[in-house]
Amino acid sequence: MSHDTNTKLIYMANQIATFFKSQPQDEAAQGVATHINKYWEPRMRRQLFQHIDGGGEGLSPLVLEAASKIKRPQAA
Amino acid sequence: MSLIHEIDYGTPASRSETMVTLTIDGREVTVPEGTSIMRAAMDAGIEVPKLCASDMMDAFGSCRLCLVEIKGRNGMPASCTTPVAAGIEVSTQTPRLKDVRRGVMELYISDHPLDCLTCAANGDCELQDMAGAVGLRDVRYGYEGDNHVKARNNGEINAKWLPKDESNPYFTYDPAKCIVCSRCVRACEEVQGTFALTIGGRGFDSRVSAGMAEDFMASECVSCGACVQACPTATLTEKSVIEIGQPEHSVVTTCAYCGVGCSFKAEMRGEELVRMVPWKDGQANRGHSCVKGRFAYGYSTHKDRILNPMVREKISDPWREVTWEEAYAHVAAEFRRIQYQYGRESVGGITSSRCTNEETYLVQKLVRAGFGNNNVDTCARVCHSPTGYGLGQAFGTSAGTQNFDSVEFTDVAVIIGANPTDGHPVFGSRLKKRLREGAKLIVIDPRRTDIVRSPHVEAAYHLPLKPGTNVAILTSIAHVIVTEGLADEAFIRERCDWSEYEDWASFVAEPYHSPEATEAYTGVPADLVRGAARLFATGGNGAIYYGLGVTEHSQGSTTVMAIANLAMVTGNIGRPGVGVNPLRGQNNVQGSCDMGSFPHELPGYRHVSDDATRETFEKLWGVEISNEPGLRIPNMLDAAVDGTFKGIYIQGEDILQSDPDTKHVAAGLAAMECVVVHDLFLNETANYAHVFLPGSTFLEKDGTFTNAERRINRVRKVMTPKNGYADWEVTQKLAQAMGMNWNYRHPSEIMDEIAATTPSFALVSYDYLEKMGSVQWPCNEKHPEGSPIMHVDGFVRGKGKFIRTEYVATDERTGPRFPLLLTTGRILSQYNVGAQTRRTDNVVWHAEDRLEIHPHDAEQRGIRDGDWIRLASRAGETTLRSLITDRVAPGVVYTTFHHPTTQANVITTDFSDWATNCPEYKVTAVQVMPSNGPSDWQQDYDEQARQSRRIAGKLEAAE
Ligand code: SF4
Ligand code: SF4
Ligand code: SF4
Ligand code: FES
């Protein structure tokens, strides 16, 4: 995976988190996870998890909080 | 087949519910109160002679041909201007009436050339018809005296004669044939709303003139054609009719340009299209049209059309023409190879918003059933995907709530980020009509669009916000409504989730959402926001119309939710005159979304993870469908750059020109091993293609388009495809080559499959459409006649959902290097990437893209009007010419993106909507400086484009 795409994914995930951060607190993390589960193709989620597993640098805390609710795709 | 003749009732229908009964020529007639005697007569099948009346506009009463006698009343009133009354007895034919009418006709004819045999209107002239109807047998006056007919009188120059005006590319004005009935003037005012024509002079000297005695091209005329249609004589005539002759049969079909979806009669002579005439029964356009649908169809026979399939190994090779069979076999082999080598997920497809529902359905089926993944997306990604997401969240379905007729009941119209007079002209005309009747208008747009101030229309409020601050403004409006107690609590309690409302209300009520607080970054004075909010909340039926200025932002989806919130908080949902109305760009954006073009959705907006839905299709298709969402266009390109996405089938889209950040798109395409482009022309994307499959135009196929009001309109084939096959046939053949057992014989069979699998289309079939004309989905057991207005008794999702909409500034910010904000848009005469309109005479109105810049910003940079300038952003730079105007605020610049040489998308960045990845076209930080010619990128690009368009054994295909 290129560095470029990785940066983009982090950016996109954070953008989603920014929206849900403003929603009622108890729904925020679930909102992020549902959104990513519904709209992110497995290779994007896989890449996201690679990044999270590697420490998740640059990801918004809400994305990290949502991670356990995001569907982890099978390894490629 | 024959020519469809529409009845002209002479005056518009009355809306009254009180009925009146009268007698006309001994026949009893019952009509709504307020109906004219002329119309009542026509209802009873009695045609009163007329020249100045037409049911497209109000009666005028100038020709005196339509006189009638009423028992017990003196004189001979004009039947077009006299309303019916209970019990009156009307005679339309008496000796006295006959005499007067003949006299009137004699006068008309005495100042009219008698060259009927060679006249272009021969066979379609109301003056001829009326001369026949009244039994005119001789004309006692010659042309010796005053006349408008002859260039010279007895050798002297005739000052009253005027030459033909042929300046408009599509129609001529021949003053010698004008009878000064003023139908054209009234059509321009009442139907189109442009007020380009006037009658100058008085009495015998009166003449029609465009603008201030200019020619048509120089005037305000937007070439909609309404006057041409209204003209009873050959004075205003389509040039195509002059050239070809009168048509002999006609077929009703649907415009393939914009989301209004106007119905037209394609009037034909054999397989030659003589003209397109808007159809009065068309429920979207009600007999009106714009320059694109009416006149700009010449691209369909343009010499640039590619008619033979072509293949090449590398994109640097010239194209090689092959047979269809070779092309299909090549694509099938390549896609199979790629999937074998790189995995099932390494290929995908893009459906087209220009193609029919049936064609779109087949492309997504090919991807889902043939490729075995969900990597299908559509160009709606780059325009209205946030509408789908936002309205889906709030209301439970992702479509506009109203029909276009609804605007006739609107009291306050709000237009956000849309330019209806340019982008959706026929709707723009209908809206302007309503505004002239007294409805109020609020415009929220960075630019002073035409509708803000135009003849007889003036917006009550124009909020000229800084690009990118939509959410802030809309939340501020909500703040005013909630804190000033203007919310419609009864509606909210009944129709929405009350606790969600309370949460939302306390959110918007926070002081930092007040107009006074947001003014600092939106740039809109607080009192304007307050005024607009009060007007919207209290002014009666409030309707919101919005366009790409809403969706193409990093907060596009949030803005759509904010719009939904405003409609709900004011109770403006579920009846005529109100609602949330996305103005869709292309003709079938709605349809392509409905048909399952998105990578996460099967037809009918059902998520791929839904087992029941998948099962429906799996049973029918006999394959397993992936329950994981596929890649969206930007993700496909990213994956291509990363090396995991290698092949794509693109039907009828030009992603290289329409998608943001051209360089990234180019890099993505260049990284693929098999790019298949299926289109009319070698478009920009085809520069990177390995296979080109020729497409067909809307005139060459059967199918349906779904317009912005969810109306399913028939598209009917009027000529044989020049390339041999309709697009659905090509997709089917391709599927067959890949081993799929598809055997559709006609698009109606595809529609049957759609109806069988998609509940909102359950009752739709070609037979039913034939019977109904058109229907608006949902059309099923519950709504057998379709659904003009949605959410009437409750929201599709149950309770309406209020959602907090926090403003987040885009990361695309101005700074010292890029101090200006660029926003983009479109203009009337050109269409989207312009591949079609650029190949018609419409180029006379828009030969190039220009950069609009405020005089202040221009002066600072030493730029004069018309200068070449360099436009640069973080992503790239291009050059184009400037247009200095105060329509844009200081700090904001604006351009269109219709011409490939401009490459405006070299400038746009890859920021996008948080929810849908819809690109942020509407905000880019830029710098502008004087320049003396095309940028390096433009030059390189031109060279690459020229190289890649070579066809072996042929001269270079000209652009
Ligand atoms: S073409 Fe349309 S805009 Fe032009 S003069 Fe005729 S009615 Fe008016
Ligand atoms: S141009 Fe045609 S419509 Fe207009 S006044 Fe003359 S005859 Fe009537
Ligand atoms: S482009 Fe749009 S408004 Fe113009 S004729 Fe076609 S559908 Fe109608
Ligand atoms: S049609 Fe009634 S006055 Fe002309």
Side-chain angles (χ1 to χ4, degrees), chain B residues 175-399:
Chain B
K177 291 185 170 167
C178 179
I179 60 169
V180 204
C181 65
S182 89
R183 271 161 69 162
C184 54
V185 177
R186 288 177 288 139
C188 192
E189 292 177 6
E190 294 175 33
V191 179
Q192 164 59 24
T194 294
F195 294 78
L197 301 178
T198 49
I199 303 256
R202 299 173 146 264
F204 190 71
D205 286 331
S206 53
R207 308 305 289 257
V208 170
S209 84
M212 322 287 279
E214 295 152 306
D215 63 32
F216 272 78
M217 266 319 276
S219 76
E220 295 289 301
C221 168
V222 295
S223 195
C224 70
C227 56
V228 181
Q229 210 176 322
C231 183
T233 66
T235 314
L236 291 165
T237 305
E238 295 91 350
K239 285 185 177 169
S240 59
V241 172
I242 297 178
E243 196 195 297
I244 303 169
Q246 291 292 330
E248 44 79 31
H249 74 271
S250 50
V251 177
V252 172
T253 190
T254 304
C255 178
Y257 275 116
C258 88
V260 177
C262 296
S263 299
F264 281 89
K265 293 181 292 182
E267 298 199 333
M268 310 293 298
R269 181 152 278 284
E271 287 214 333
E272 183 168 24
L273 179 57
V274 177
R275 64 177 170 189
M276 295 286 274
V277 183
W279 193 41
K280 276 201 292 199
D281 281 349
Q283 294 179 60
N285 57 321
R286 305 272 176 207
H288 190 35
S289 66
C290 85
V291 59
K292 293 191 286 291
R294 177 89 153 91
F295 296 118
Y297 48 78
Y299 69 87
S300 61
T301 51
H302 196 278
K303 63 170 174 33
D304 286 357
R305 258 189 83 177
I306 303 290
L307 304 177
N308 297 307
M310 304 189 297
V311 169
R312 59 183 171 191
E313 302 314 313
K314 299 195 300 293
I315 60 171
S316 51
D317 294 344
W319 285 105
R320 190 162 51 80
E321 288 189 349
V322 297
T323 62
W324 283 100
E325 277 58 41
E326 284 174 80
Y328 298 135
H330 181 85
V331 177
E334 275 294 277
F335 276 38
R336 286 300 178 227
R337 173 188 67 80
I338 290 172
Q339 286 194 302
Y340 180 75
Q341 207 171 331
Y342 302 99
R344 188 202 284 204
E345 318 293 332
S346 59
V347 296
I350 296 182
T351 72
S352 173
S353 314
R354 280 158 41 197
C355 288
T356 63
N357 286 321
E358 294 75 4
E359 288 165 340
T360 307
Y361 179 87
L362 285 196
V363 173
Q364 64 89 30
K365 177 170 174 180
L366 176 66
V367 171
R368 298 205 151 99
F371 300 174
N373 62 42
N374 283 314
N375 293 332
V376 59
D377 205 358
T378 179
C379 113
R381 169 71 51 215
V382 301
C383 57
H384 267 290
S385 49
T387 290
Y389 184 79
L391 296 185
Q393 298 288 314
F395 300 156
T397 184
S398 61

Side-chain angles (χ1 to χ4, degrees), chain A residues 1-57:
Chain A
M1 296 293 157
S2 81
H3 171 71
D4 222 32
T5 325
N6 212 32
T7 323
K8 249 188 217 169
L9 278 183
I10 297 170
Y11 186 83
M12 280 162 53
N14 288 348
Q15 253 187 316
I16 295 166
T18 305
F19 174 80
F20 285 101
K21 206 155 56 193
S22 70
Q23 302 305 306
Q25 259 220 313
D26 45 329
E27 297 163 23
Q30 187 59 54
V32 172
T34 307
H35 190 91
I36 290 180
N37 286 335
K38 272 178 95 169
Y39 300 101
W40 282 30
E41 201 251 6
R43 95 191 76 163
M44 297 165 70
R45 299 204 310 268
R46 197 173 299 130
Q47 202 174 343
L48 180 69
F49 274 113
Q50 265 170 23
H51 188 75
I52 292 174
D53 297 346
E57 196 195 324

